[in-house]
Amino acid sequence: MQRVYEEDKQFEGIDYSGKNLPVGDYENCKFINCNFAETNLSKITFIDCVFDNCNLSAASINSTSFQEIIFSNCKLMGLRFEDCNQFLFTAGFTSCQLSHSTFYKLKLKNTRFTKCTMQQIDFTEADLHSAVFDDCDLLHTTFDNTVLEKADFRTAINFSIDAERNKLKKAKFTTAGLSGLLDKYDLQID
């Protein structure tokens, strides 16, 4: 099957759940109000694309390339980002539902998460150097052997990070957020 090449196109209101997006390269495209839930997006390359108000929950993203992608108001629940092509992986997330997704061993330096619900995510062994978690809910999210140096948690809530099992040098927290670093000690903090 031949790969398609789409550039500077807008895809709006399309339900791909019954049919798959054709395998190919999509550059500088916008996907608005599209449904990719449980769709096979494997081996597709997205470069400089915007996904706005789309549902990609439980989509298959094996060897999918996400380069310079903006996800805004999207449902990205249950995605295994570690399965996608990690070469040049860069994405920003604003007002997204990312719960139950995994980023195992993924390089996410400088990634910005803004106003996202990120409950029960797995960041085990990920590199989140200088990442920003702006107004994000991190309830039951796993950080284990994760690089969090210079990461910004000042407006994040519900996080629990073991300072002995993660690299936190120069990470940013508020005084109120320090309790998320002490959870393992089962302390009463008022």
Side-chain angles (χ1 to χ4, degrees):
M1 180 185 274
Q2 189 172 354
R3 291 178 67 89
V4 300
Y5 179 75
E6 301 286 359
E7 183 178 19
D8 299 323
K9 287 198 176 174
Q10 182 166 306
F11 302 85
E12 189 166 358
I14 302 171
D15 185 357
Y16 291 100
S17 59
K19 57 185 180 202
N20 290 332
L21 182 68
V23 174
D25 302 306
Y26 296 81
E27 189 167 354
N28 200 34
C29 292
K30 290 184 180 179
F31 298 90
I32 301 169
N33 297 317
C34 292
N35 183 16
F36 297 99
E38 299 182 18
T39 299
N40 186 359
L41 298 175
S42 297
K43 299 180 181 175
I44 295 176
T45 299
F46 298 101
I47 301 170
D48 293 317
C49 291
V50 174
F51 291 85
D52 185 19
N53 203 35
C54 293
N55 182 2
L56 287 88
S57 296
S60 177
I61 54 174
N62 294 318
S63 300
T64 302
S65 291
F66 292 111
Q67 300 172 20
E68 300 294 330
I69 303 303
I70 296 171
F71 292 104
S72 179
N73 301 300
C74 291
K75 287 176 103 175
L76 304 161
M77 298 174 66
L79 290 183
R80 298 181 53 86
F81 284 97
E82 70 271 12
D83 291 342
C84 63
N85 185 342
Q86 296 184 26
F87 181 70
L88 299 176
F89 179 92
T90 46
F93 304 88
T94 302
S95 299
C96 292
Q97 287 272 352
L98 285 153
S99 297
H100 306 286
S101 293
T102 59
F103 292 87
Y104 178 68
K105 287 190 175 183
L106 204 57
K107 288 181 177 24
L108 299 162
K109 290 182 179 182
N110 301 306
T111 299
R112 184 169 196 90
F113 301 92
T114 304
K115 297 183 183 201
C116 293
T117 302
M118 305 175 69
Q119 298 177 357
Q120 297 183 350
I121 287 183
D122 185 359
F123 282 118
T124 300
E125 297 185 33
D127 184 349
L128 288 157
H129 188 283
S130 298
V132 176
F133 296 90
D134 183 20
D135 198 20
C136 293
D137 183 356
L138 298 166
L139 185 67
H140 301 301
T141 290
T142 301
F143 297 96
D144 188 21
N145 198 27
T146 305
V147 177
L148 298 169
E149 294 172 349
K150 296 185 179 179
D152 189 343
F153 290 91
R154 290 179 292 183
T155 58
I157 60 169
N158 296 324
F159 59 85
S160 180
I161 300 170
D162 185 340
E164 295 172 13
R165 296 189 54 84
N166 296 283
K167 296 177 183 174
L168 290 168
K169 189 174 183 176
K170 297 193 179 186
K172 299 171 186 164
F173 299 92
T174 62
T175 305
L178 290 179
S179 62
L181 297 173
L182 302 171
D183 284 344
K184 83 174 204 171
Y185 299 109
D186 196 25
L187 302 173
Q188 180 69 35
I189 301 171
D190 294 323

